[in-house]
Structures are given as structure tokens and as C-alpha cells.
Amino acid sequence: MSSTPRTLLDKIWDAHVVCTPPGELPLLYVDRHLVHEVTSPQAFEGLRLAGRRVRRPDATFATPDHNIPTTDRRLPIADPISKQQIDTLRNNCLEFGVRLFDLGDADQGIVHVIGPELGITQPGMTIVCGDSHTATHGALGALAFGIGTSEVEHVLATQTLRQAKPKSLELRVEGSLHPGVTAKDLVLYLIGKLSTEGGTGHVIEYTGPCIRRLGMEERMTVCNMSIEAGARAGMIAPDQITFDYLRGRDYAPRNFDRAVAEWERLPGDPGAVFDRVEIFQGGDVVPQVTWGTNPAQVVGIDATVPDPTAFGDPNERESGSRALDYMGLKGGTKIVDIPLDRVFIGSCTNSRIEDLRAAASVVRGYRVAPTVHAMVVPGSGRVKRQAEQEGLDRVFRDAGFEWREAGCSMCLGMNPDTLTPGQRCASTSNRNFEGRQGKGGRTHLVSPAMAAAAAVTGHFTDIRHWLYR
Amino acid sequence: MQSFVTHTGIVASLDRANVDTDQIIPKQFLKRIERTGFGQFLFFDWRFLPDGAPNPDFELNRPIVAGASVLLARRNFGCGSSREHAPWALADYGFKVVIAPTFADIFFNNCFQNGMVPIRLPEADVEELFRRTRAAEAAGGPYRLHVDLPSCNVSDDAGFSRSFTVDPFRKRCLLEGLDDIGLSLQHVDKIAAWEAAHAALAGE
Ligand code: SF4
């Protein structure tokens, strides 16, 4: 062990480099490999063609989430191509001995929701998945990032990945968040400051008192969106909040106290140096709403839609104008004056129990505006059952929300849950790209509480002034 | 994997920043379980009108760039989703090279797995290439670039010549068309040794 002070990233990296053969990139050991139906079929097929096996089926976990219907699970899947992809995952898991949380399994859900929830995700681990929001798992102090399908195949076959060590970026958030301001608002604010490529080539470690105060699920929301700032991964050093969250979960270490003793050594050493440091104030953050077609195109709820022609950077000017055109908005419009057609509460960013509680507390005693079609899609079967035990489903249904089965749903609209052209949606998901939720659909990213308030009033509403019933 | 040594081809320019992989290949085409055949869906929502006819306003639909194999783009190309369907679609459409000032990390890595070279050039050089592309097209012909991977050079026949950097390992894999899984499996003894050393730590 070297005596140079090391960051959390350094420690996890050093512990996982299997070897760096001369003239080659390091081989990084992968502790947990999460697999879903969309980015894995070609990888399993590659294994089959080469006569290879899955090296660590015991460290590989699969679930269908992207493509699945969120309506009644007892009905057959209507789309034959979706069905084929889900069947293919099932057959591949059977053939290669991989644990599958299948449709109908009580623990099925969005891969980034069930990993932490089942305790599969643990501090100090390297975790990969053929999905860019794998950074979510970094909230527990893991190094977790998204990979392409060829790399999925590489990990299946070798349990390692060829990786150059990324640079480190400390995002320090001082102070604390004001009431009504959530982890989602914080991360949208940070992306707005960093830009969509500000984190490229870096792993972000979120530090500072504002981050330490966040609960486990709020930390997941923050780390989840690291990719939207271009970062390879996002992570938060584990602490008592992390350990308390993990204790007793299905896949948590059996000798938990010994594991905690190991995990306590993970946080960066005093004096450890990051390649880059940026400092922000939690108190500066207000509830955020995106106005454009990338997550960095974001403003506070009390602001107006910006006028891109006034932007200094020509790229930003061009993409801002194109975005307003697509979004059907004009510079100068007050954010609170933007009316909505749809509200989507769900996705790996904001579909956990605390998200649903926050949204339900806003909705309680109100009705969804007659002009709005609103739905809640829990992140996992467990979240759904927990919410139902707490009566949250009733709160949502009574208000006029649809209450669905777990999956990615309208976060990317690969299943039947999509926007129609021109529809405007307040969404708790992570991407407002053109067509993301359906061709021609217009997505505004917000927190669960802000989405809930917008569903009730029919337009964006400052949650800080909400009258809770 | 398909190897890449040198390539000369027609340049198609896409003058937009932050082109995300949702645009490169929209989600409705991710349900296929094959690696091939994605080129027909490349930039689908931009490339085709609602009635299915090619959108005459979309850059790649201009007759002058027919058969293009070098894509010239702006900052942060390939951001968003990790879907390797994006490089699959670009490669299947016929692109061998993508040039931009910056790329998103996952997309950048995915290119190498598919015999495609992503080239990062300084913003001013990319601007110059946009200028030269426009000038060549205004003069009636497509613009062509030549990429030489062994010397890491990109050039045209009118004096533009720049070097670019590629990780030496990625370069070797491209030049030799190596199966990188096979290469990694040569170190299987080290992988096994790592596993043995860490089995105790895992607490199981
Ligand atoms: S919820 Fe959305 S962002 Fe998350 S894994 Fe599913 S599709 Fe990807």
C-alpha cells in the first residue's frame, strides 16, 4: 500500500487492477455485473459463437426492465419484438446460469433500483452494466459505470474490463438545501453549471456537508445523473447512512460488521488530491425545471425560458434555438406559465419509496388537473408493495393518477408508455432528449414533488409555496 | 473485429453539438437481438419525415454526401445512453471515421469495438474542416479526407494535415483487428489469482 493519500476512486481502482500488461490497458476486475434485456442479447450471442462461458454467473444479475409493459403482468406481452427480447434474456440466463429477476418475480424492477435494494450493490465494489445510469450505484461508495455491449461480452467472458483510469473530479457542495429543494434539483443545478460534457473523462466524487446530509435514496438520485454531465461515474463515500441502509438486505455480506470495518477504510485520505475540484453552495439551489433538449438546459422555477440568441457560445446558441423550436417554447416565457399534458413519476432517478412518498404528500387531498394525464411507475416490485402497504397507491389513484407495474416505462418509451407528438410532460426521469419519451414529445425534467404539483395545477408550480393537505 | 489501417472517404458534416445516442438510433430500434442491420435506422427521426419519405433538409440526405464514410460533428458527440446500437448503426450505414472536438466516453470506447475510428481534433481544426467541406460542396464536389492510422494523421489533398492521438492499445487492436476478449483471456491466470486473493475478503 502506498503512503500517498488516496481518494475513494484511487482506493477502489488500485484494489481492482488485475494487471497492466506491457503496451495494453489495465484489466480492471468487475465485482458485480448487472444485465438487462436491451444491451445483452448480442453479448450472449457473441459468447455462444466463440464457445465461451460466463466466468462469474454468481456475480452476474439480470432483470428485464426497459422493454416491458407496466400494465397487468398476467396478460401476454403484445409487442412480439419486445417479447422476443425478454424471452431471449430468459433463455440466455438459463443457458449461462445467471440469476434472473424475471417478470413476475417479486424482486423484478429497474436494474438500478433493485441493485441497491437487494444489497447487491456494496461499498468498494466495481459494478458495471450495459446502461449509462449505472453511476447510480456509486451512491453507496462503489465505482459503477455504464459500458457498451461489446464490453458486456468482455465482462461476461473475463469478469474484467479494459479501462484507462479516469480522472477525478470533486464536486463539493457546501451548506444545505432549502425546504422543498430536493436531490433532483441539486443534481440538475450541478449539471446546468457543469454542462453536459463538463464531467467527460472524469469520475465525480460528490463531497461536502450538503451531500453528507442526503439520505441514501437521495444520493442515488444525485449519482444517477452524473452521466448527464458527461461523467464516467459518480460516487459518494460510504458512511453510517450507507451502512444502515445496507444492513439486513438480501445480498448484504453475512458477516456484516466485518464488512463495515472494511468499508470504513474507503473514504478518501486527508490530503488526497483530485484532478479537479468545483465548489457549489447548496443554499443557491431552487427547484429546477429543464426547458430544452439536454439536461444542462435548466433554470429555476422562478425564472423564465432563456433567450438563446443572447448566449455567448455559438454551439450553445445553436442548440438552444433548436431546442426551443423543438420544445415549442419562446424565450421570456415564465416557467410557471408552461402548461402540461402529461406527468410521469418514475425511472431509475426518482422511482424509489422516498420519491413516491414525496410525490404522494403533495398530491394528498388534491385531484389531477382535468387537462393532465398522470402516471406513477414504481421502480421495483418491492417499491410498489411498500407503497401499497403505506397506502400511497390510494393517494395517487384517488387523485386520478395511474398506478403501474415496475419498469423503465416512459423514461424512454420502449414499451407502450409514450408521449404523442407535441405532448408536453413533466417527468422525474433523467433525459429530455428529442423524442426520448416518444417521437415529438416534449420533456421537462423535475423532482417528484414538482411533478406532483404540476399534475395537480396543470402547469409548473413552485413547490416551495405548496399548501400540503 | 474488423481491422482499420487507412481510409479515404467522403465527408458528411453534421453541424450540431451534443448529438446524443437517442438521435443516432432511436429507442424503437433497440429491440432487435442482432448486431447488424441498424444502418437503415440511423438518425431515423431526423432522416425521415412522418410519412417515411427522406427528409430533404437533413444533412445526410443531400445527394452530394451519398456514400459518405467520414462523419464530421460538433462537441460531445454520442452523449447519453450507452447503447452500442449507435456505433453499430453508424458503421452499418458506412461510416468508418467520426471526427469531433469531443466525444462522450462510452460512445468513444464503443467505436473501437466496431472497427470505427473516433478522432478528436481541436475545435479550430474541426471548424476548418467544416469550412473546407462547405467550400468543396459549394464548388460542386464532395469533400474527402484521408485517415492514416499507423501515423495517426488526417489529411485532405489541399494541404490540411493534422495528427491525432489514439491510445496505443486501442490502435494496435484496430490495426490488427484483434479479438480483445481473446487477448484478455491470455491473462486468465492473473484473473484467477486476483479472484483467489479476494475470495477471503468477500466475506462469503
Ligand atoms: S429508467 Fe430510464 S434511464 Fe433508468 S435504466 Fe431505465 S431507461 Fe435507462
Side-chain angles (χ1 to χ4, degrees):
Chain A
M1 184 171 293
S2 86
S3 57
T4 327
R6 295 185 301 165
T7 62
L8 170 63
L9 169 66
D10 294 334
K11 292 182 187 184
I12 300 179
W13 186 268
D14 293 349
H16 288 85
V17 174
V18 171
C19 60
T20 308
E24 298 183 19
L25 287 170
L27 277 179
L28 191 73
Y29 198 82
V30 172
D31 291 317
R32 293 285 184 270
H33 187 189
L34 308 174
V35 172
H36 67 74
E37 78 277 25
V38 176
T39 56
S40 68
Q42 296 85 354
F44 282 112
E45 182 63 14
L47 286 190
R48 220 171 351 251
L49 291 174
R52 290 169 178 146
R53 62 188 181 92
V54 174
R55 182 170 180 86
R56 289 280 310 275
D58 61 317
T60 311
F61 299 88
T63 192
D65 54 3
H66 282 64
N67 211 338
I68 54 174
T70 53
T71 43
D72 192 341
R73 287 282 152 81
R74 289 163 304 187
L75 299 174
I77 297 171
D79 178 349
I81 318 177
S82 291
K83 182 174 182 309
Q84 184 195 29
Q85 206 170 49
I86 293 157
D87 291 345
T88 302
L89 179 68
R90 185 176 304 127
N91 295 337
N92 284 332
C93 288
L94 207 61
E95 180 181 342
F96 290 94
V98 170
R99 172 73 167 98
L100 172 71
F101 300 97
D102 205 353
L103 275 189
D105 189 307
D107 292 330
Q108 178 270 338
I110 304 174
V111 65
H112 308 310
V113 174
I114 69 170
E117 174 176 86
L118 294 171
I120 292 170
T121 305
Q122 295 168 23
M125 283 183 166
T126 48
I127 302 175
V128 300
C129 174
D131 192 283
S132 60
H133 291 98
T134 309
T136 313
H137 308 266
L140 290 96
L143 173 59
F145 48 88
I147 56 177
T149 297
S150 297
E151 292 174 313
V152 169
E153 186 181 338
H154 190 282
V155 176
L156 288 172
T158 70
Q159 202 59 28
T160 66
L161 200 59
R162 292 274 183 190
Q163 281 286 305
K165 187 177 176 186
K167 296 200 186 83
S168 58
L169 166 58
E170 178 184 17
L171 277 195
R172 189 172 177 80
V173 189
E174 306 284 4
S176 55
L177 299 175
H178 292 296
V181 180
T182 67
K184 178 64 164 292
D185 301 303
L186 172 61
V187 70
L188 284 171
Y189 172 88
L190 294 173
I191 294 163
K193 295 289 175 196
L194 280 184
S195 90
T196 52
E197 58 171 343
T200 302
H202 291 77
V203 168
I204 298 175
E205 183 179 343
Y206 300 91
T207 68
C210 187
I211 299 295
R212 292 259 76 89
R213 280 193 194 96
L214 298 177
M216 204 58 245
E217 297 189 351
E218 297 175 296
R219 294 178 184 188
M220 291 183 212
T221 300
V222 172
C223 288
N224 172 275
M225 290 194 70
S226 303
I227 179 73
E228 310 312 335
R232 205 73 189 85
M235 59 201 324
I236 294 175
D239 58 12
Q240 198 56 45
I241 290 175
T242 322
F243 309 146
D244 291 345
Y245 174 88
L246 274 174
R247 189 180 290 274
R249 299 210 176 245
D250 300 48
Y251 287 83
R254 263 172 265 151
N255 192 339
F256 195 78
D257 293 325
R258 197 183 68 179
V260 168
E262 284 293 324
W263 296 340
E264 281 173 336
R265 303 218 295 259
L266 285 168
D269 302 321
V273 179
F274 291 86
D275 294 302
R276 218 176 111 200
V277 180
E278 306 273 353
I279 301 172
F280 299 94
Q281 301 296 328
D284 289 349
V285 186
V286 301
Q288 303 282 303
V289 180
T290 62
W291 53 266
T293 54
N294 74 53
Q297 291 174 327
V298 66
V299 289
I301 179 70
D302 46 8
T304 56
V305 175
D307 173 10
T309 59
F311 292 173
D313 178 290
N315 273 325
E316 295 306 320
R317 204 156 51 227
E318 190 273 343
S319 77
S321 302
R322 198 185 281 275
L324 283 197
D325 202 38
Y326 179 85
M327 293 296 289
L329 291 172
K330 287 204 170 54
T333 306
K334 282 188 184 154
I335 295 291
V336 291
D337 288 345
I338 299 174
L340 296 153
D341 308 302
R342 305 282 298 265
V343 168
F344 171 65
I345 297 177
S347 91
C348 58
T349 313
N350 282 129
S351 63
R352 297 180 181 82
I353 191 67
E354 288 176 14
D355 299 315
L356 302 194
R357 286 178 190 144
S361 73
V362 172
V363 167
R364 187 170 280 118
Y366 287 100
R367 293 276 318 160
V368 170
T371 49
V372 172
H373 172 187
M375 65 196 282
V376 182
V377 184
S380 70
R382 283 196 183 201
V383 171
K384 179 165 188 270
R385 286 194 302 281
Q386 173 74 28
E388 288 171 351
Q389 268 165 30
E390 297 179 18
L392 306 185
D393 61 319
R394 284 258 59 92
V395 175
F396 287 120
R397 284 184 208 266
D398 288 351
F401 278 83
E402 287 183 25
W403 177 250
R404 295 293 189 92
E405 298 291 335
C408 294
S409 177
M410 210 163 70
C411 173
L412 92 164
M414 258 187 95
N415 74 348
D417 310 337
T418 54
L419 298 180
T420 55
Q423 272 191 333
R424 188 179 299 285
C425 179
S427 176
T428 66
S429 56
N430 42 55
R431 285 191 176 134
N432 50 345
F433 296 157
E434 281 184 34
R436 171 78 178 181
Q437 297 192 292
K439 187 169 179 171
R442 295 160 171 167
T443 302
H444 297 269
L445 303 177
V446 289
S447 74
M450 287 279 289
V456 169
T457 61
H459 55 84
F460 288 114
T461 301
D462 191 338
I463 193 66
R464 292 172 299 177
H465 309 311
W466 192 253
L467 198 67
Y468 288 87
R469 286 187 179 160
Chain B
M1 191 186 71
Q2 221 188 327
S3 70
F4 183 108
V5 183
T6 62
H7 178 74
T8 303
I10 294 173
V11 177
S13 62
L14 194 59
D15 195 357
R16 342 183 164 196
N18 298 313
V19 172
D20 58 75
T21 53
D22 274 78
Q23 305 317 319
I24 298 174
I25 178 109
K27 71 316 201 71
Q28 61 268 36
F29 308 113
L30 306 185
K31 296 180 185 177
R32 298 161 61 92
I33 55 172
E34 302 86 18
R35 245 176 227 264
T36 50
F38 288 98
Q40 55 188 311
F41 310 122
L42 179 71
F43 295 120
F44 192 86
D45 290 349
W46 286 345
R47 207 167 123 206
F48 299 102
L49 296 169
D51 67 0
N55 176 0
D57 294 335
F58 182 56
E59 290 93 322
L60 294 194
N61 286 338
R62 294 171 310 134
I64 202 159
V65 296
S69 56
V70 178
L71 185 65
L72 180 63
R74 294 288 187 187
R75 252 162 39 191
N76 202 24
F77 188 82
C79 60
S81 156
S82 63
R83 58 187 71 164
E84 196 164 321
H85 311 69
W88 291 339
L90 286 163
D92 189 55
Y93 183 88
F95 286 111
K96 302 282 293 171
V97 176
V98 188
I99 301 175
T102 54
F103 292 89
D105 291 328
I106 304 177
F107 176 84
F108 191 76
N109 285 344
N110 283 341
C111 284
F112 292 105
Q113 311 282 352
N114 295 283
M116 210 162 45
V117 187
I119 298 179
R120 274 189 285 241
L121 287 180
E123 196 129 32
D125 291 340
V126 170
E127 193 58 57
E128 174 62 16
L129 288 176
F130 269 98
R131 204 191 58 73
R132 287 180 181 236
T133 306
R134 279 194 301 269
E137 290 173 357
Y143 181 57
R144 283 191 174 76
L145 279 170
H146 177 69
V147 176
D148 185 89
L149 187 59
S151 68
C152 287
N153 183 273
V154 53
S155 59
D156 66 8
D157 49 17
F160 182 93
S161 173
R162 296 287 186 281
S163 53
F164 58 91
T165 53
V166 186
D167 173 83
F169 174 67
R170 302 269 190 223
K171 179 173 164 181
R172 194 180 119 214
C173 290
L174 274 176
L175 287 173
E176 298 175 28
L178 293 178
D179 163 22
D180 67 338
I181 295 179
L183 211 59
S184 296
L185 285 174
Q186 289 175 8
H187 308 295
V188 72
D189 51 331
K190 296 214 176 62
I191 297 172
W194 192 98
E195 285 168 342
H198 287 74
L201 266 176
E204 324 250 334

